[in-house]
Amino acid sequence: MKINFKVKSIKSIRFRIWLYFLGFTALILVLMWFLQIFFLNNYYEEMKVRETENAAYRISSSYEVGGKAQMIETARAIVRNDDMYIHIESKDGVSVYTSSLGGEYEELIDTVRGDLHASGDNSVSGLIPSDEGSRNVLAYARFLGTAQDEILYVFSPLYPVQSTVNIL
C-alpha cells in the first residue's frame, strides 16, 4: 500500500494564513515580554504606594469616626490581609498599637518621625533603601486627628521585582 503525501504549496492561501497567524503570535509575545520587562517594576511600586496610602487613609478615617478602639480594629484587619507593619503612638511616644511583625522596622520609626516633624506637613512618605540591598521599604507617616494626638506609621516592604524580570 502506497501512502500519498501532498506537499502544500507555499503560495496557497492556507499556508499564507498560517504564516500570518504565526507572525502575529510572535509579535504579541515579543510585545508582552517588552512591556513586562520595562513596566513591571514601576507598576509594582506605584501599586504598593497606593495600597499603603489607602491603608493609612482607612486607619485615619476609622480614628475620626470611631476613636481609638475602631482605629486599632481597622489596623489589625489591615495587618491580617496585607504585608504591612503598622505602628501607632501618642504624641509623647507611648505606643498605642504595634503589629506583631516589626522588629526590623522599629529602628526606622525615629527616622520617619524626624522627617514628619521637619516637613511641617500632615503626612510624609518615602522609599527607604535596605542596607543589605535585598529590598526597599516604603515608609508612610501621618498625624491622626485634628489635634494631632497620635502618629501613624505604615511600613510596606517592596520585594525585588528585578529578579523576576531577569528570569523572564
Side-chain angles (χ1 to χ4, degrees):
M1 175 183 260
K2 186 176 178 185
I3 299 176
N4 234 352
F5 288 109
K6 290 186 180 180
V7 177
K8 302 284 183 183
S9 171
I10 295 175
K11 295 180 181 182
S12 73
I13 190 80
R14 178 181 278 171
F15 181 77
R16 285 185 179 177
I17 290 174
W18 181 81
L19 192 62
Y20 288 138
F21 179 72
L22 188 66
F24 181 70
T25 303
L27 177 72
I28 294 295
L29 287 174
V30 167
L31 182 65
M32 286 174 50
W33 175 78
F34 177 78
L35 291 174
Q36 190 169 12
I37 293 297
F38 291 105
F39 296 117
L40 183 64
N41 206 16
N42 292 336
Y43 174 75
Y44 175 71
E45 284 187 21
E46 287 296 319
M47 180 195 65
K48 288 297 274 188
V49 166
R50 276 187 263 124
E51 185 179 282
T52 304
E53 288 175 350
N54 184 31
Y57 175 75
R58 286 174 41 205
I59 293 170
S60 176
S61 296
S62 67
Y63 177 73
E64 292 171 5
V65 172
K68 285 186 183 180
Q70 182 65 35
M71 172 189 64
I72 291 171
E73 187 57 38
T74 303
R76 283 186 181 139
I78 290 171
V79 168
R80 271 194 307 267
N81 295 330
D82 300 330
D83 186 20
M84 293 183 189
Y85 171 71
I86 297 174
H87 178 83
I88 304 168
E89 66 183 20
S90 64
K91 230 190 312 191
D92 52 352
V94 176
S95 179
V96 175
Y97 172 78
T98 302
S99 60
S100 59
L101 48 102
E104 61 187 90
Y105 302 119
E106 294 203 11
E107 61 192 34
L108 300 175
I109 289 176
D110 292 332
T111 304
V112 177
R113 182 186 304 119
D115 291 345
L116 180 63
H117 288 296
S119 73
D121 291 334
N122 194 33
S123 65
V124 293
S125 65
L127 196 62
I128 300 173
S130 174
D131 292 337
E132 306 90 44
S134 62
R135 66 177 177 176
N136 295 332
V137 175
L138 176 65
Y140 184 89
R142 76 175 295 154
F143 290 110
L144 295 174
T146 55
Q148 299 181 345
D149 293 332
E150 276 85 26
I151 303 174
L152 166 68
Y153 303 96
V154 180
F155 296 96
S156 182
L158 295 174
Y159 295 105
V161 177
Q162 190 60 38
S163 61
T164 305
V165 169
N166 289 338
I167 291 170
L168 297 174

